[in-house]
Amino acid sequence: MRVYSGIQPTGRKHLGNYLGAIRHYVTGQEQAAAAGDESIFCVVDLHATTVAYDPKELRDRTYDTIAILLAAGIDPSQSVLYRQSDVPEAPELTWLLTSVTAHGELNRMHQFKEKSAQQRELVSAGLFLYPVLMAADMLAFRADRVPVGDDQRQHIELTRDIAERFNARFGEGQAILRAPEGVYPTVAARVMDLQQPEKKMSTSSGSVEGTVYVLDEPKAIEKKLKRAVTDSEDPPRIQRDVAAKPGVTNLIDILAATTDRTPDEVVASLADARGYGDLKVQAAQAVVETFAPLQERYRELREDEAAIEAALAVGAEKASAIAAPILADVREAMGVGPRR
Ligand code: TYM
């Protein structure tokens, strides 16, 4: 049972990334180890080049993201942790998979529609092909389970379709590629912006005041959560209701996820609260406590770029060892390159 996931080194990682994905990588790492398999985590620097970006910053943001993953509990002796651009197999597979990916499918991707509308100068072909590179990431490793947030559902579905179409077209009855399963959190699969709770928390489109960054100081975290937009229902009601009470629902889910409780338990515990103040204060405290140990480890790890590069070199070697034979199968099936 192989677990795989990827994360972009763009912007600063936020509470949505953490609750929707990063903390589940650690669970995935344990599950894969228990099954005698490896989990694989990738910092996708090639995906980051699909929108306008600063080349001087990309490498630093990649180190930041690797250090966050290590600080969160990814253990390179148990998992494969690699930088996407260090391993050529998935980029090569991307090209090969374009032969079984429909132009129309890529045109219908929500993320492509949203991100292409935000580009001022150039909508790159890379942005259009982004989901094929993402599919190749998973398929080059025959991933079984992919822990991701809710916003990646469409990409996972496309990946499954691509794998199945590839097998039907080239497999001659064999499943050369494996259709992976998306694994979504039961709570906080879509953390919303604290200022605009009808929009997901995001570095590219959200508000800075409404986005809690993993590396925010405790004071900033408290300020953002205390100022979170709720609603003016009178009397105030602490209940989950995504449509009518998106802000309150988001805070309930954040508090539930950071204290390992269900949203119902959180709601019950606040039955006597008079306003939304207690909910905000408790959520702020829980987020600060969740991030404090991570931030401390991060500071130590981030300083030593040589150690990060050494860990990445090991990761790249392990990743290639897994992906190279899978690519060889794909090339053979497609009639590309010499006969085996
Ligand atoms: P990225 O870097 O945007 O996000 C990383 C992970 O964080 C999750 N996430 C959220 N979860 C809950 N609430 C939110 N507001 C929120 N915002 C982000 C994302 O769902 C994701 O799991 N395309 C991917 C990177 C990728 C990848 C892959 C993922 C490349 N190749 C292969 C899985 C497998 C992305 O942009 O993630």
Side-chain angles (χ1 to χ4, degrees), residues 6 8 16-17 20-21 44 47 130 134 137 148-149 151-152 189 191 201:
Q8 292 211 57
N17 297 128
V44 297
H47 274 114
Y130 180 114
M134 177 166 164
D137 284 335
V148 277
D151 61 337
Q152 299 298 318
V191 177
M201 191 177 281

Side-chain angles (χ1 to χ4, degrees), residues 221 231 252:
I221 296 176
D231 54 58
I252 293 170

Side-chain angles (χ1 to χ4, degrees), residues 295-307:
Q295 293 181 349
E296 201 179 316
R297 285 194 293 273
Y298 171 86
R299 281 191 281 273
E300 283 165 33
L301 291 159
R302 180 63 184 86
E303 271 176 26
D304 195 347
E305 288 185 1

Side-chain angles (χ1 to χ4, degrees), residues 65-83:
T65 309
I66 297 276
I68 286 178
L69 295 183
L70 292 169
I74 298 302
D75 174 357
S77 69
Q78 276 190 55
S79 290
V80 178
L81 177 62
Y82 76 102
R83 173 170 51 202

Side-chain angles (χ1 to χ4, degrees), residues 117-148:
Q118 288 166 15
Q119 300 312 302
R120 289 202 201 108
E121 296 194 346
L122 175 82
V123 176
S124 70
L127 190 60
F128 187 68
L129 288 173
Y130 180 114
V132 193
L133 177 57
M134 177 166 164
D137 284 335
M138 292 170 251
L139 299 178
F141 293 91
R142 293 204 178 111
D144 297 286
R145 292 164 71 84
V146 181
V148 277

Side-chain angles (χ1 to χ4, degrees), residues 75-276:
D75 174 357
S77 69
Q78 276 190 55
S79 290
V80 178
L81 177 62
Y82 76 102
R83 173 170 51 202
Q84 192 179 35
S85 61
D86 290 344
V87 179
E89 279 80 6
E92 178 185 344
L93 183 60
T94 302
W95 180 253
L96 298 172
L97 293 177
T98 59
S99 65
V100 286
T101 309
H103 179 276
E105 282 172 323
L106 297 179
N107 237 345
R108 283 194 292 277
M109 290 282 130
H110 306 311
Q111 185 181 291
F112 175 67
K113 287 188 203 162
E114 281 160 25
K115 288 202 178 169
S116 57
Q118 288 166 15
Q119 300 312 302
R120 289 202 201 108
E121 296 194 346
L122 175 82
V123 176
S124 70
L127 190 60
F128 187 68
L129 288 173
Y130 180 114
V132 193
L133 177 57
M134 177 166 164
D137 284 335
M138 292 170 251
L139 299 178
F141 293 91
R142 293 204 178 111
D144 297 286
R145 292 164 71 84
V146 181
V148 277
D150 196 54
D151 61 337
Q152 299 298 318
R153 273 180 201 276
Q154 202 187 19
H155 285 153
I156 303 285
E157 285 315 308
L158 176 71
T159 303
R160 295 177 56 82
D161 290 345
I162 290 175
E164 277 154 20
R165 204 173 299 141
F166 182 93
N167 290 337
R169 169 78 178 83
F170 299 113
E172 295 185 342
Q174 283 194 330
I176 294 175
L177 297 179
R178 185 172 300 156
E181 225 178 275
V183 184
Y184 306 94
T186 45
V187 184
R190 181 178 285 263
V191 177
M192 308 309 275
D193 189 289
L194 299 174
Q195 288 300 316
Q196 300 158 284
E198 54 297 322
K199 285 176 73 173
K200 75 169 179 185
M201 191 177 281
S202 147
T203 9
S204 52
S205 61
S207 62
V208 175
E209 307 74 43
T211 307
V212 176
Y213 298 102
V214 174
L215 301 176
D216 267 347
E217 297 284 330
K219 281 216 161 58
I221 296 176
E222 279 165 14
K223 194 165 142 193
K224 287 173 183 178
L225 277 150
K226 283 182 188 162
R227 291 190 183 166
V229 168
T230 48
D231 54 58
S232 49
E233 194 173 349
D234 193 19
R237 199 168 47 96
I238 300 183
Q239 283 295 332
R240 276 192 99 261
D241 184 338
V242 178
K245 300 170 76 66
V248 170
T249 302
N250 194 34
L251 289 170
I252 293 170
D253 289 1
I254 290 170
L255 180 55
T258 46
T259 52
D260 283 321
R261 288 181 293 173
T262 64
D264 284 348
E265 285 167 343
V266 165
V267 169
S269 77
L270 287 162
D272 296 332
R274 288 220 194 93
Y276 298 132

Side-chain angles (χ1 to χ4, degrees), residues 261-338:
R261 288 181 293 173
T262 64
D264 284 348
E265 285 167 343
V266 165
V267 169
S269 77
L270 287 162
D272 296 332
R274 288 220 194 93
Y276 298 132
D278 289 355
L279 174 61
K280 292 180 176 183
V281 169
Q282 288 186 23
Q285 193 184 346
V287 174
V288 168
E289 281 171 16
T290 301
F291 285 159
L294 191 158
Q295 293 181 349
E296 201 179 316
R297 285 194 293 273
Y298 171 86
R299 281 191 281 273
E300 283 165 33
L301 291 159
R302 180 63 184 86
E303 271 176 26
D304 195 347
E305 288 185 1
I308 294 178
E309 280 299 345
L312 289 176
V314 174
E317 205 172 307
K318 288 201 233 167
S320 263
I322 299 169
I326 297 170
L327 253 286
D329 289 348
V330 168
R331 289 167 65 100
E332 172 73 8
M334 290 183 76
V336 167

